[in-house]
Amino acid sequence: MRFDIITIFPEMFAGVFSGGIIKKALEREMVRIAVHDLRDFTEDRHRQVDDRPFGGLEGMVLKPEPIFRAVEAVREDETSRVYLLSPQGRRLDSALAKELASERQVILICGRYEGVDERVVEHLVDGEISIGDYVLTGGEPAAVVVVDAVSRFVPGVVGKEGSVRNDSFAEGILDFPQYTRPREFRGLEVPQVLFSGDHKKIERWRRKKALEKTVRQRPDLVEHKTLALEDRRLLEEIQNERKDE
Ligand code: ADE
């Protein structure tokens, strides 16, 4: 899988992919990331990428020509997917990340300033992607988030497939809590059940804790979800315990 990032600040990407799992994935050529300077696709002496908005407003708008040229230069074929990072886009979630991980090439255009000429949105891209309901100074940090979240779903990138499968959101609920040594730290003890050696019991406890955390912190995730019988039992237990508190 290949990512192409089109930006006016290519230097912002130096370093962010040079550690951890993404670095390994790059070394093993499971993913490729190419960063392109939008200014390389200008044709004027000043390498101008933006201009004042028609209709008169403050600020600058990214011009269409360099963006069209950049996409046309880097796209491999008609199967390549092109997205603009913008707060107006479809919100990135686990389902979208997984969807993108099955593409061969994903081209990400980083928006800037007050906006991007609407002809890019209407006639060039397959869609817009937002990483949340807040406005960044530009699409660059969002592109990093997209590359990271999507790469995790590329087969082989995350060591054990299980680590992706057991993740928060893979199943629509949050993660269970994890503990490591020491068993006791400043008087804080690791829950007894984890030392019981009873795997069924541990699994049930983890599921219950995950459900409990979800109900407390992200009730929206379980509100309209059809839960399995065992999950409903666990939720009932949680609700009864809460009443006793
Ligand atoms: N550019 C500015 N804000 C953004 C956001 N929330 N998501 C994606 N790109 C953006």
Side-chain angles (χ1 to χ4, degrees), residues 84-92 109-113 128-143 146:
L84 173 69
L85 279 322
S86 99
Q88 281 82 41
R90 170 175 168 192
R91 184 102 62 87
L92 180 68
I109 303 165
C110 302
R112 267 282 145 183
Y113 302 129
E128 294 174 86
I129 298 175
S130 163
I131 60 161
D133 288 342
Y134 40 81
V135 180
L136 302 166
T137 56
E140 285 78 6
V146 170

Side-chain angles (χ1 to χ4, degrees), residues 5 13 17 85 108-110 131 139-148:
I5 300 171
F13 296 90
F17 300 123
L85 279 322
L108 299 171
I109 303 165
C110 302
I131 60 161
E140 285 78 6
V144 173
V145 170
V146 170
V147 168
D148 191 285

Side-chain angles (χ1 to χ4, degrees), residues 99-117:
E99 233 175 273
L100 295 181
S102 67
E103 301 292 350
R104 256 178 8 110
Q105 185 188 22
V106 170
I107 300 170
L108 299 171
I109 303 165
C110 302
R112 267 282 145 183
Y113 302 129
E114 270 56 44
V116 175
D117 189 287

Side-chain angles (χ1 to χ4, degrees), residues 155-214:
V157 167
V158 172
K160 279 182 265 159
E161 282 281 326
S163 339
V164 177
R165 219 178 315 117
N166 289 334
D167 261 347
S168 286
F169 305 112
E171 257 203 279
I173 69 167
L174 303 181
D175 271 354
F176 53 78
Q178 296 271 37
Y179 296 88
T180 185
R181 279 187 287 204
R183 188 167 173 162
E184 195 226 289
F185 166 69
R186 298 186 179 174
L188 307 170
E189 288 192 25
V190 174
Q192 283 295 331
V193 59
L194 297 176
F195 305 103
S196 66
D198 183 339
H199 293 291
K200 272 248 151 61
K201 206 165 142 190
I202 293 174
E203 205 180 299
R204 191 171 189 279
W205 178 85
R206 284 180 166 161
R207 186 76 192 172
K208 185 172 168 182
K209 284 290 170 191
L211 283 166
E212 197 174 345
K213 203 164 209 171
T214 310

Side-chain angles (χ1 to χ4, degrees), residues 34-91:
V35 178
H36 309 276
D37 188 344
L38 185 62
R39 285 182 205 283
D40 291 343
F41 300 92
T42 54
E43 287 183 338
D44 63 305
R45 208 157 50 88
H46 301 290
R47 312 216 313 152
Q48 191 181 347
V49 288
D50 57 355
D51 211 333
R52 298 215 308 274
F54 282 125
L57 262 185
E58 291 292 297
M60 299 290 261
V61 173
L62 286 182
K63 291 162 65 60
E65 315 94 298
I67 301 180
F68 271 75
R69 257 186 241 118
V71 169
E72 284 155 8
V74 305
R75 84 178 312 154
E76 282 177 344
D77 54 46
E78 66 289 345
T79 66
S80 307
R81 292 285 158 257
V82 185
Y83 295 94
L84 173 69
L85 279 322
S86 99
Q88 281 82 41
R90 170 175 168 192
R91 184 102 62 87

